[in-house]
Amino acid sequence: MAISPRFCYKRHINAPVTTATLSPGGLAVNRMLKLLPVVLISIFTVGCSHNYYNVPKDVYESKVRVLGVAPLLVDADSEIRYPDKDALIGLVRDANRRNEKELVALLKDTGAYFSVLHLPDDPDQLAGKLVYRRERRDDAGVVYNKYFFKVQELRDYITRNGVDAVMFVVVSGITKKDSIRSSNLLSYLDSSYDYLIMTAQILDADGTVLWEYPNFRQRLLSFPPLLPLQYPAFDEAEANASEKVEVKFKTMAGIGRALDKTRTSSLSSKAQVSVLYADQFEKMVSLLTPDSNLFGNGNSEGKKPAAPQPELQPIRKQSAPAASAPPAAAAQPVAETPAPAPVQPAAEPVIAAPAPLVVESASPAAAPVKPIAPAVPHSDR
């Protein structure tokens, strides 16, 4: 099928720029004013983007203590128009198997779950048994595939594996309009391009979608594809002095090299993980990581043990008056405690803090796991 894309060149125009009316100080202020909206948006995003779940976060945390991670699925019936589709599907399935344990390791490192289990099932059989519908979505210009699961089969799967919820990650194909620039950024091509994308959902036994990626309900975020399957041949058009730029598919060898590009895994310093998969997993896990305190308040309970300061002063006073008045060493500090209190304030918390803190920090680890809260009503978003 012939594609007649719109091919545009951007040319530099040497237009005079007048800056005589602005002093260096004025230019600096002008730049600051231009950057102010960007800074305000960044602050607003950081301060208001703590909830990206489909349910209240406290409900999610109390409900999902043991998370199961299903094997990565491949939707072979999605929009994959690659000429050698079967070979591409086989390549993706192999990459899924080699990299899926990296996702489990990253989820464990968040500390948000009592346990994260990798569920060793056959991905093709699992998809055929649980998934019953795919829906193409376009949220604010972001195109992706959303999947729906059979509730009874999902409940049986969760019960059989002894988990509170299951995370499903699906690699699928999508065709969408896009604008891609040349390597020199002087030209671009608007056309339809094919991509491999990666989406994810966490569901409970009632089929409620507790969390999903991408999710634009609570937060605006980018959704980069797993791998572009096509590219505009700018260099070839320029070499042939043609204004018509063709959109071509990458070769299998090129796709394989892209998937095989690795870096050190989170599992072990000796293991490797695909860079493309690691980037996708880290993007997902960043939206499942417990909120950190950006303002450095920390745990306020750690400062409460400062109250027992008077008890330490007899201990520190015994070493000084021991040479002159040994019999009165035990009674003397009690009467003088108000006076020396401001003299040694820096060293006292170092001795007092550890005793109550060690006892308090050990108790939560032994606390029993909370029972699963009542299921959230089913929402077929």
Side-chain angles (χ1 to χ4, degrees), residues 12-79:
H12 293 288
I13 301 176
N14 295 325
V17 178
T18 304
T19 58
T21 58
L22 290 179
S23 63
L27 289 173
V29 172
N30 190 26
R31 293 193 189 98
M32 291 176 63
L33 291 176
K34 290 181 179 179
L35 291 175
L36 183 60
V38 178
V39 174
L40 292 177
I41 292 174
S42 301
I43 295 174
F44 179 79
T45 303
V46 172
C48 303
S49 62
H50 292 296
N51 185 9
Y52 20 77
Y53 300 85
N54 287 355
V55 297
K57 188 176 180 181
D58 56 344
V59 173
Y60 177 87
E61 291 175 346
S62 62
K63 189 182 187 69
V64 184
R65 302 301 300 141
V66 180
L67 177 65
V69 180
L72 270 61
L73 309 179
V74 181
D75 184 4
D77 296 326
S78 57
E79 293 178 295

Side-chain angles (χ1 to χ4, degrees), residues 267-298:
L267 289 169
S268 171
S269 59
K270 298 180 180 179
Q272 296 291 311
V273 62
S274 169
V275 172
L276 297 179
Y277 278 77
D279 290 343
Q280 294 284 317
F281 294 157
E282 289 175 359
K283 184 72 173 178
M284 295 176 188
V285 173
S286 69
L287 306 180
L288 285 166
T289 302
D291 296 335
S292 59
N293 197 326
L294 300 179
F295 300 98
N297 292 334

Side-chain angles (χ1 to χ4, degrees), residues 53-252:
Y53 300 85
N54 287 355
V55 297
K57 188 176 180 181
D58 56 344
V59 173
Y60 177 87
E61 291 175 346
S62 62
K63 189 182 187 69
V64 184
R65 302 301 300 141
V66 180
L67 177 65
V69 180
L72 270 61
L73 309 179
V74 181
D75 184 4
D77 296 326
S78 57
E79 293 178 295
I80 301 178
R81 304 183 305 173
Y82 194 77
D84 196 352
K85 179 178 177 179
D86 293 339
L88 177 63
I89 295 298
L91 195 65
V92 173
R93 284 172 177 163
D94 181 64
N96 284 352
R97 286 191 297 269
R98 289 187 284 109
N99 296 284
E100 60 190 7
K101 290 184 180 179
E102 178 73 12
L103 176 59
V104 179
L106 291 175
L107 288 168
K108 287 181 178 179
D109 287 343
T110 64
Y113 305 97
F114 180 78
S115 179
V116 180
L117 304 179
H118 178 229
L119 308 181
D121 294 271
D122 181 83
D124 294 332
Q125 294 181 3
L126 192 64
K129 184 185 299 183
L130 298 181
V131 182
Y132 76 91
R133 185 164 68 92
R134 177 201 335 109
E135 182 177 302
R136 179 186 170 98
R137 291 288 185 91
D138 187 342
D139 292 342
V142 176
V143 183
Y144 64 100
N145 295 317
K146 183 180 176 70
Y147 294 88
F148 298 86
F149 296 80
K150 303 174 185 176
V151 177
Q152 186 57 50
E153 286 77 1
L154 177 63
R155 181 179 293 112
D156 295 341
Y157 183 67
I158 290 177
T159 303
R160 183 172 71 253
N161 288 283
V163 296
D164 300 327
V166 175
M167 182 176 189
F168 292 99
V169 178
V170 184
V171 177
S172 61
I174 203 80
T175 302
K176 63 174 184 174
K177 292 284 186 179
D178 209 343
S179 179
I180 299 181
R181 289 189 172 275
S182 61
S183 57
N184 58 13
L185 304 180
L186 297 179
S187 55
Y188 63 92
L189 180 65
D190 290 328
S191 183
S192 293
Y193 297 92
D194 287 4
Y195 297 91
L196 289 179
I197 61 173
M198 185 180 287
T199 57
Q201 291 176 310
I202 295 179
L203 300 97
D204 64 8
D206 295 324
T208 303
V209 180
L210 306 176
W211 174 93
E212 60 183 330
Y213 174 79
N215 186 344
F216 300 91
R217 291 185 177 182
Q218 304 292 340
R219 174 178 177 175
L220 294 176
L221 49 87
S222 61
F223 181 59
L226 174 65
L227 177 67
L229 296 177
Q230 291 178 303
Y231 65 96
F234 290 107
D235 294 338
E236 183 176 337
E238 183 178 359
N240 294 320
S242 173
E243 294 186 356
K244 182 179 180 181
V245 179
E246 295 183 3
V247 176
K248 294 188 173 183
F249 282 100
K250 296 181 179 180
T251 64
M252 282 297 299

